[in-house]
Amino acid sequence: VTLWRHHAHLAHQDKELPRDITAQLEELKQYRAKYGLKALALVLLLVNVLFGSKVYAQTKQIAPPLITNLSKNISNEEIFYVGGKTDFTNSQVVIYLQNLGTGETFSQYTESDNKAEWFYRHTSFLSPGNYLLWVQGKVGEELSPPGPQMTMVVNRTAVSFGGGRLSYETIYLFTIILLLMCIAGLSVLITYHYYHGKKKHKALKKDIDAAAESIRRGFAVLKRDIEAELDVIHRIKLSAVLSAEEKQKESQLMSDLEVIQKRIGQEIWEINKEA
């Protein structure tokens, strides 16, 4: 009994927790780091007040591992990996990965080598989505504070052929580029045909105007000839009576003259006698 009392006195004096309580406290710290719950923080604060800051001080001495290598943008058919450095050789590194879409979180352990470098490679493919990643160092039973959180993306693979893979984002990008190229090609083709079509239309209009001008002149000459014929008939009427044939000719000339005048309108043509 005296020996038991002596050990109890030393444990109380040194503020030393039993091993099972220490293990539970470490587990509690891991869950706090994992979920950031305030209730757990209050429990840890109460333990520190009752038993001093010995555990906290020891944890404070461990710096979180540094991430230098990370597969931040991969497909769901590529293996996730992460690596970096830590302050301790042959120590454990705890890797936390949380799927932001589902909220699922899992942790994995790896160890640093003799150069204090560590590397972790996942054993299976990750499901598509956005992920949050952070790490903690572990030396013995002591855990470091959580390291900075980093984001990474796992894209869904749409097409696989041979050793290559295309994600939906890549296919969308290629489709947009192809559509833009088609639009640009159509724009060039439309511009080319519009330019040459307008040029040919202008030349055709010029030819049509020239032909119309020639036709007008032809009708103008015909009008002049008919008026000359009618003038002769009118002179005959002044001196003699027109025969039936001459009357019929006069009537036909008058009818033709009326049609020709409608065709050439009210324009007055100055036509030389040589025309």
Side-chain angles (χ1 to χ4, degrees):
V1 177
T2 306
L3 184 59
W4 171 79
R5 180 185 175 188
H6 177 70
H7 283 297
H9 174 74
L10 292 178
H12 182 267
Q13 183 177 0
D14 295 336
K15 302 296 184 181
E16 183 179 354
L17 295 174
R19 290 184 179 180
D20 57 334
I21 299 299
T22 304
Q24 294 179 27
L25 180 60
E26 292 299 331
E27 185 180 1
L28 190 62
K29 289 180 182 179
Q30 292 182 25
Y31 279 106
R32 182 198 172 194
K34 188 174 181 179
Y35 299 105
L37 299 178
K38 294 181 178 179
L40 297 182
L42 292 175
V43 173
L44 292 176
L45 179 60
L46 179 61
V47 171
N48 284 330
V49 170
L50 293 175
F51 295 94
S53 58
K54 180 179 179 181
V55 176
Y56 175 78
Q58 290 176 351
T59 304
K60 195 67 176 180
Q61 294 174 0
I62 305 175
L66 179 65
I67 297 176
T68 59
N69 192 11
L70 173 64
S71 54
K72 295 190 67 173
N73 195 351
I74 58 176
S75 73
N76 61 329
E77 293 187 4
E78 292 178 309
I79 294 297
F80 158 70
Y81 61 87
V82 61
K85 296 182 178 180
T86 184
D87 291 342
F88 300 92
T89 60
N90 303 315
S91 61
Q92 282 191 331
V93 176
V94 189
I95 301 152
Y96 298 96
L97 196 63
Q98 181 181 21
N99 189 320
L100 296 179
T102 63
E104 180 185 3
T105 304
F106 66 89
S107 60
Q108 296 292 335
Y109 290 82
T110 188
E111 288 189 1
S112 61
D113 56 19
N114 296 329
K115 297 181 180 179
E117 296 179 351
W118 60 273
F119 184 81
Y120 171 76
R121 183 178 183 274
H122 203 48
T123 55
S124 60
F125 300 125
L126 295 175
S127 58
N130 296 321
Y131 287 83
L132 199 63
L133 171 76
W134 69 96
V135 295
Q136 275 186 291
K138 185 175 182 181
V139 179
E141 297 297 328
E142 303 297 334
L143 278 170
S144 73
Q149 293 181 337
M150 304 182 69
T151 58
M152 58 172 291
V153 179
V154 178
N155 299 304
R156 185 184 301 276
T157 299
V159 179
S160 299
F161 54 94
R165 291 178 294 272
L166 290 178
S167 65
Y168 284 107
E169 290 78 5
T170 304
I171 291 179
Y172 294 153
L173 179 61
F174 284 162
T175 303
I176 292 173
I177 292 175
L178 182 60
L179 289 176
L180 290 177
M181 290 176 63
C182 291
I183 293 173
L186 288 174
S187 300
V188 172
L189 190 63
I190 291 171
T191 303
Y192 173 82
H193 285 290
Y194 175 76
Y195 172 77
H196 288 280
K198 186 177 181 180
K199 188 176 180 180
K200 290 181 179 180
H201 177 74
K202 186 176 181 180
L204 178 63
K205 187 175 183 301
K206 185 178 180 181
D207 293 340
I208 293 174
D209 291 343
E213 182 73 13
S214 299
I215 292 172
R216 288 194 187 96
R217 284 184 174 274
F219 277 112
V221 172
L222 184 60
K223 177 176 178 292
R224 185 195 63 183
D225 293 340
I226 291 174
E227 288 175 343
E229 290 273 351
L230 287 173
D231 186 59
V232 171
I233 293 175
H234 290 162
R235 288 180 183 179
I236 294 175
K237 286 174 66 176
L238 293 175
S239 58
V241 179
L242 297 177
S243 64
E245 184 179 353
E246 290 174 337
K247 287 182 179 180
Q248 184 179 0
K249 183 177 181 181
E250 180 186 21
S251 176
Q252 184 64 46
L253 289 172
M254 291 294 292
S255 176
D256 292 342
L257 180 62
E258 183 179 359
V259 173
I260 292 172
Q261 285 177 340
K262 288 181 179 179
R263 285 187 177 274
I264 64 177
Q266 301 298 324
E267 299 180 6
I268 300 176
W269 299 92
E270 296 292 337
I271 304 175
N272 297 328
K273 292 181 179 181
E274 293 81 11

